[in-house]
Amino acid sequence: AQGVVETGGGSVEPGGSLILSCKYEWTQSTICLAWFRQVPGKGREGVAGMGTDGNALYADSAKGRFTLSKDNAANILYLQMDNLKPEDTAMYYCTLDSWRSCTYSRPNWSYWGRGTQVTISS
C-alpha cells in the first residue's frame, strides 16, 4: 500500500505547541513529503517539506516556529509546531510524492491525507 495518514491535531491556546505526525507508506527510493493547511473557503497553503536527503524547507509562515523531522525506520514525518497563533488554525494535510527536488509549494501530489484539525483559540 501507499499513502499518508495524519494524526496529532487538537485545540491549544495561542503560544502553545502541537506535534503532528504523518505516517507514510512509499516503496520508491526517492521521497518527498510536505505539509499543507487549509481553512474553509480557501485554497491549500504549503507549510513545509522534506525530501530524501532530510533537508527541510519552510514557508515564511512557518519559519522560526515549525520544525520538520523524520523517523525513517517508522516511516513518520513529524511537524513540531511552537508558538502557535490563531491564524494557524486550519486542517493540516500531509502529502507524498517521489520528486527528487522537494518543496512544499507544488499543488499536485500523488497522495494526500485526509487531514487533521488544528485549532488555536484563547
Side-chain angles (χ1 to χ4, degrees):
Q2 298 181 98
V4 289
V5 178
E6 310 97 331
T7 57
S11 181
V12 298
E13 298 179 357
S17 298
L18 281 174
I19 302 176
L20 304 184
S21 298
C22 173
K23 172 67 176 178
Y24 59 91
E25 296 184 6
W26 192 247
T27 59
Q28 300 184 37
S29 60
T30 59
I31 187 169
C32 182
L33 292 155
W35 285 96
F36 284 73
R37 64 188 184 186
Q38 184 176 33
V39 298
K42 302 294 183 180
R44 291 178 177 179
E45 173 193 10
V47 177
M50 179 178 287
T52 306
D53 59 7
N55 293 326
L57 297 172
Y58 302 94
D60 288 342
S61 62
K63 290 178 180 177
R65 299 189 300 122
F66 295 1
T67 304
L68 285 175
S69 63
K70 183 152 58 75
D71 184 335
N72 291 321
N75 288 357
I76 300 175
L77 177 73
Y78 297 101
L79 180 64
Q80 172 74 46
M81 303 188 296
D82 297 316
N83 191 24
L84 286 163
K85 304 174 181 179
E87 53 263 41
D88 294 317
T89 296
M91 183 73 75
Y92 282 72
Y93 299 89
C94 185
T95 62
L96 171 65
D97 217 306
S98 62
W99 296 310
R100 298 177 66 183
S101 180
C102 188
T103 74
Y104 54 80
S105 60
R106 297 177 185 268
N108 299 312
W109 296 72
S110 293
Y111 295 95
W112 290 80
R114 293 182 177 180
T116 185
Q117 179 67 42
V118 172
T119 301
I120 315 301
S121 179
S122 298

